[in-house]
Amino acid sequence: VDNIKAVMVLDGSPKTMSDNLKNSWAWIDKKDTGKIRQSATMQVLSHRERFFEGFAKWMLESPTPSKINQITEIAYETPAYVAALTNETASYADYENTLISLAKKRPLYIFVRNEWEKVVGAWVKKYAPKARFSHMGKHLMFWEDHEKFNRKFDGFLKSLD
């Protein structure tokens, strides 16, 4: 922790699985791990084009054909087996206690998509009340609305001086 000045969480979650997605800051319902494995791991291996196009549409607030093409071109730079392995291993991540501990010791900025506003806002209030919290757009908000995102992020960086 001594060599960390601040922490930013950008539309990620400190744990991947939860028993209750409606009230938890997580991606995957523990009861439904087979479905996520099929879509995020197996489809990357067997139906990459369909997976990447669907994932691009999910990440974008304005999924134009041009933006979808840009995202899928970037995704194709990662070999299928690496993408599948990354998705599968990330399914078991849980660093919630680490993030709670860091929030007590270092400045924390949590920036999520609008969909997570309520659940993450409640998490911040309970576990990291000193954290800066913002939400906007969808998963790639920092790319689609980079000017607004950068203004907010620059404000956080300036607060560290």
Side-chain angles (χ1 to χ4, degrees):
V1 174
D2 293 338
N3 61 345
I4 298 172
K5 186 168 184 172
V7 176
M8 180 174 190
V9 177
L10 180 56
D11 205 42
S13 61
K15 63 182 178 182
T16 308
M17 290 190 204
S18 175
D19 293 322
N20 182 354
L21 286 184
K22 289 183 182 179
N23 298 312
S24 181
W25 184 16
W27 292 86
I28 301 169
D29 186 325
K30 282 184 180 178
K31 297 175 288 242
D32 207 12
T33 57
K35 183 178 179 183
I36 195 69
R37 179 167 291 121
Q38 179 61 34
S39 64
T41 303
M42 300 307 294
Q43 282 205 14
V44 171
L45 295 169
S46 60
H47 303 291
R48 286 183 84 184
E49 186 175 320
R50 184 175 10 163
F51 174 80
F52 289 149
E53 184 176 327
F55 193 47
K57 288 177 181 177
W58 173 82
M59 291 189 289
L60 297 165
E61 196 162 33
S62 301
T64 65
S66 174
K67 288 180 182 178
I68 292 168
N69 286 338
Q70 281 185 277
I71 299 301
T72 55
E73 284 177 21
I74 292 167
Y76 272 112
E77 292 180 17
T78 303
Y81 68 92
V82 172
L85 186 58
T86 300
N87 288 348
E88 184 65 24
T89 56
S91 297
Y92 302 96
D94 185 347
Y95 62 91
E96 186 170 38
N97 290 333
T98 302
L99 188 60
I100 291 168
S101 176
L102 280 169
K104 293 174 185 172
K105 299 172 185 166
R106 296 289 182 262
L108 172 63
Y109 191 12
I110 298 174
F111 206 126
V112 297
R113 63 188 179 277
N114 284 334
E115 175 187 345
W116 271 355
E117 174 190 0
K118 289 181 183 174
V119 72
V120 178
W123 188 96
V124 168
K125 188 174 184 179
K126 182 176 181 178
Y127 296 111
K130 294 179 187 175
R132 185 177 290 209
F133 174 60
S134 297
H135 59 88
M136 63 184 249
K138 291 183 84 176
H139 188 64
L140 288 180
M141 87 295 273
F142 61 90
W143 182 69
E144 282 192 285
D145 196 353
H146 58 274
E147 290 176 359
K148 183 176 179 182
F149 173 83
N150 285 339
R151 276 193 305 277
K152 290 175 179 270
F153 187 50
D154 285 344
F156 175 67
L157 293 175
K158 287 175 183 169
S159 75
L160 300 177
D161 294 333

